[in-house]
Amino acid sequence: MSELNTIALKIISSGKGILATDESTGTMKKRLESVNVESTENNRLKFRHTLFSSDSMKSCIGGVILYDETIKQEFNSNKIPSIISKTGAVPGIKVDTGAKVLANSTEEKITEGLDGLRERLKVYYSLGARFAKWRGVYIIGNNYPSQIAVTSNAHSLARYAALVQESGMVPIVEPEVLMEGNHSAEICLKKTSEVIKKCYEELILQKVDLTGTILKPNMILPGSSSNQKISTEEIAELTIKCLKESVPSEVPGIAFLSGGQTEIEATKNLNSINKINKLNFIMTYSYGRALQQSALKYWSNNLDDIEGTQKIFNHRANMCSLASKGKWSEQVEKN
Ligand code: 13P
């Protein structure tokens, strides 16, 4: 087993998943202001440290994705990456610099951040990061995602992944096909498969060791403004069909993003996927909003109640962990 494969498995095995706290300062400002908290450096640290020091870190969280600001912060003179490592979780880092308008297809985006990446990775490794994340983002529409968006983002994801492995870290490959739109789940399946297949074509071309990677895809859902109603079992079937036809078997595991689903939807759908999972991949979570939303809301009204905030986060993390084993139910959710 390669060292990178060992790290990948440590992050996603044994009912564990990833806590995505890599919101950029701009996104975090929106999240905090939506609950009437001022987005200061100290408030961002205080909320995130509350999560990192929760009990469920040890049992439910195998990896934490950090943002550049957070990986360099300290809490009571302890470095954030070492606080995370002590819980048994692996510290990770978002290394893309965001999605920008794509020339010649201006409604679409291309993710940037390759320039100087090799040097930045060295710094992040020395700060304790052992995995990285890069998100390519795609829209669904009549002519979207376009071939330009599909090929350009796959190429960038593969170049990023190759550099991350060269630096001794595991790349999380995140091609996110957004939920926005009135498309059906079948269209989401078709477009997502196309996007993921192209990513693996590029990853293989650029000699990325797939056993030392983790895929972070969207689930297959109807568009957020479509009238289509489908059951959680159908979502699971379509998601598994997509992964079966587009992900090479060497990939050790898949950690879904929540992408705007509610906490319960993201938990329930992951649970359904694992109940019928007949593939060899581990299927777990790499949630941002679906792990943090309720905890953030409570904290915003009770800024000094660390324990109360952690209790809410622990419950959410435990529910996601059960879902990663197909053992979640409405009943355990209520207890
Ligand atoms: P959400 O789970 O909130 O979609 O965030 C995950 C993530 O890292 C998106 O890039």
Side-chain angles (χ1 to χ4, degrees):
M1 214 161 50
S2 74
E3 197 178 325
L4 293 178
N5 181 247
T6 309
I7 299 172
L9 289 174
K10 183 175 178 195
I11 296 169
I12 54 174
S13 300
S14 323
K16 291 186 179 182
I18 300 171
L19 168 61
T21 55
D22 58 314
E23 300 87 357
S24 63
T25 303
T27 302
M28 200 55 187
K29 186 170 189 288
K30 277 190 228 151
R31 299 262 197 279
L32 289 173
E33 286 178 353
S34 75
V35 290
N36 300 315
V37 175
E38 195 190 349
S39 181
T40 61
E41 185 177 342
N42 194 44
N43 278 342
R44 294 192 287 273
L45 176 63
K46 205 173 151 192
F47 176 66
R48 285 168 166 161
H49 180 263
T50 300
L51 305 184
F52 304 156
S53 51
S54 300
D55 285 346
S56 56
M57 284 290 296
K58 292 196 183 85
S59 48
C60 307
I61 305 296
V64 179
I65 319 175
L66 300 168
Y67 183 60
D68 180 74
E69 174 183 84
T70 327
I71 200 170
K72 295 170 180 163
Q73 281 173 322
E74 293 185 356
F75 194 91
N76 289 340
S77 308
N78 295 308
K79 293 182 177 4
I80 291 294
S82 91
I83 292 172
I84 290 167
S85 299
K86 280 191 187 130
T87 68
V90 181
I93 180 76
K94 184 230 287 292
V95 299
D96 67 66
T97 55
K100 309 284 157 57
V101 172
L102 179 64
N104 291 330
S105 183
T106 51
E107 282 185 80
E108 298 188 285
K109 300 261 174 76
I110 177 72
T111 303
E112 296 188 344
L114 289 170
D115 288 355
L117 181 57
R118 181 178 270 135
E119 289 68 36
R120 286 194 291 126
L121 290 171
K122 282 190 188 128
V123 175
Y124 290 137
Y125 187 95
S126 73
L127 291 169
R130 291 296 176 271
F131 76 99
K133 178 194 118 164
W134 177 291
R135 171 177 174 259
V137 55
Y138 308 82
I139 52 171
I140 294 183
N142 278 344
N143 300 310
Y144 302 135
S146 68
Q147 282 308 305
I148 321 177
V150 172
T151 52
S152 317
N153 277 297
H155 176 83
S156 299
L157 273 162
R159 284 183 59 197
Y160 137 83
L163 283 167
V164 169
Q165 289 194 334
E166 180 192 278
S167 72
M169 298 193 271
V170 168
I172 297 213
V173 175
E174 181 180 2
E176 177 176 8
V177 180
L178 294 173
M179 242 161 82
E180 281 77 27
N182 57 11
H183 53 270
S184 64
E186 288 70 26
I187 292 290
C188 177
L189 166 66
K190 183 170 175 277
K191 306 277 186 178
T192 305
S193 293
E194 207 177 294
V195 161
I196 297 178
K197 279 181 191 156
K198 191 69 189 176
C199 285
Y200 284 110
E201 220 179 280
E202 280 289 331
L203 286 159
I204 291 165
L205 186 69
Q206 298 191 39
K207 299 189 167 45
V208 173
D209 169 11
L210 298 184
T211 67
T213 63
I214 296 169
L215 177 69
K216 177 165 171 165
N218 48 285
M219 292 178 191
I220 304 301
L221 303 163
S224 52
S225 52
S226 103
N227 295 324
Q228 190 185 21
K229 294 270 172 287
I230 65 171
S231 67
T232 183
E233 288 77 20
E234 286 169 296
I235 291 169
E237 296 281 358
L238 292 171
T239 303
I240 288 176
K241 183 172 191 297
C242 172
L243 299 171
K244 190 175 175 188
E245 66 190 32
S246 51
V247 186
S249 58
E250 297 93 312
V251 175
I254 288 163
F256 294 98
L257 56 93
S258 60
Q261 297 180 72
T262 64
E263 291 177 340
I264 302 292
E265 283 166 352
T267 310
K268 192 176 187 170
N269 291 336
L270 178 64
N271 189 59
S272 302
I273 288 169
N274 280 299
K275 269 174 122 171
I276 58 164
N277 179 14
K278 291 187 195 75
L279 306 178
N280 279 330
F281 312 117
I282 294 170
M283 307 258 202
T284 188
Y285 47 94
S286 177
Y287 292 165
R289 285 162 285 180
L291 273 170
Q292 300 180 60
Q293 222 157 41
S294 296
L296 179 64
K297 195 160 179 220
Y298 178 86
W299 178 73
S300 70
N301 292 312
N302 306 273
L303 290 174
D304 293 319
D305 187 2
I306 305 297
E307 223 173 284
T309 306
Q310 290 180 333
K311 202 172 154 202
I312 292 169
F313 174 69
N314 287 336
H315 176 68
R316 203 66 259 135
N318 279 312
M319 293 301 105
C320 287
S321 174
L322 286 173
S324 77
K325 297 181 267 192
K327 291 187 173 157
W328 174 88
S329 65
E330 308 262 355
Q331 196 54 42
V332 289
E333 180 66 47
K334 287 189 200 111
N335 291 340

